[in-house]
Amino acid sequence: MTADDVIRAWDQADPTAIHPLRNVSEDAYWESGRGQAEMLATVIPDGAKVMDFGCGDGRVAIPMAALGFEVTAVDASHNMLDRLGERDPDVTTAQADADGIAGHLGRRRMDAVYTLAVLIHHSYQDCLHIIAKLRAATKLGGILVLDWPVSDTPSEADSWIGVTTWSREQQADACAAIGLEPVDSELPWGVYRAVKAGS
């Protein structure tokens, strides 16, 4: 699947299909976002300018804003951003895919960027492209949090709801090429500092 195929599928998906906790309850769904925001706050400086890439309906972006972060919630899906705006119209949003980020930021760079439950649905090639664009949107020394799980048997997603996994070697090569330095953390996602590529 191409990145455009994945975006179209998510844009058309029923809200109950986008996260398993929606089948438990709406409260469980939103509580999971609050929990993940609290986890992110352990590695992102207080009050930082933060981008939530692939923000969906704001499950994590809204509680991040409530914690005092200056959040820009980015998603390619107009439907998702409409849902976010209905729940919290004060969160800044931008409709863009990875290639459109620069047009929204101009010369600004973020202190931190996170993307959760996004990269897992894309091919290796598209993931690397997206990560490079997210790195470019992050100031030197800033923090990136990437949900791109490691597996002993890495594989690419074969559907919009599939999961792409990586080997440690694949991730290390990507980090060196893109300019990401791993940061030790207790988070279930990869945490990186933005550095010059090849350093």
Side-chain angles (χ1 to χ4, degrees):
M1 295 193 79
T2 68
D4 287 340
D5 293 334
V6 174
I7 291 166
R8 268 193 301 280
W10 279 100
D11 194 43
Q12 296 167 5
D14 182 280
T16 59
I18 65 170
H19 197 284
L21 284 177
R22 272 243 155 91
N23 293 314
V24 175
S25 72
E26 278 295 297
D27 286 344
Y29 174 75
W30 291 102
E31 184 58 36
S32 72
R34 284 188 287 277
Q36 290 183 344
E38 289 169 4
M39 292 165 65
L40 288 166
T42 66
V43 296
I44 298 174
D46 291 347
K49 293 178 182 166
V50 177
M51 178 191 299
D52 179 335
F53 180 78
C55 64
D57 57 12
R59 185 179 66 91
V60 179
I62 292 169
M64 284 294 283
L67 289 173
F69 294 99
E70 188 178 323
V71 177
T72 299
V74 178
D75 204 288
S77 169
H78 182 71
N79 291 338
M80 292 290 183
L81 294 176
D82 282 350
R83 291 178 195 147
L84 188 158
E86 288 168 8
R87 190 159 183 99
D88 190 337
D90 294 328
V91 173
T92 300
T93 61
Q95 185 178 358
D97 60 10
D99 290 324
I101 293 171
H104 286 281
L105 291 183
R107 298 177 71 119
R108 292 181 303 133
R109 293 294 172 265
M110 293 288 157
D111 298 316
V113 173
Y114 64 89
T115 185
L116 306 180
V118 173
L119 300 174
I120 60 173
H121 301 297
H122 289 276
S123 69
Y124 292 132
Q125 180 178 348
D126 288 340
C127 282
L128 293 173
H129 179 78
I130 292 167
I131 294 168
K133 295 296 184 179
L134 298 180
R135 166 58 191 91
T138 309
K139 72 178 189 179
L140 200 60
I143 295 292
L144 291 95
V145 180
L146 307 176
D147 181 11
W148 57 334
V150 170
S151 171
D152 291 334
T153 55
S155 64
E156 285 185 290
D158 59 2
S159 72
W160 71 275
I161 202 74
V163 175
T164 293
T165 58
W166 300 74
S167 71
R168 293 196 187 284
E169 294 78 18
Q170 285 174 302
Q171 285 190 351
D173 290 346
C175 287
I178 294 169
L180 301 174
E181 179 181 79
V183 173
D184 287 334
S185 84
E186 298 297 317
L187 298 190
W189 317 292
V191 180
Y192 304 91
R193 190 165 314 285
V195 296
K196 292 182 179 176
S199 62

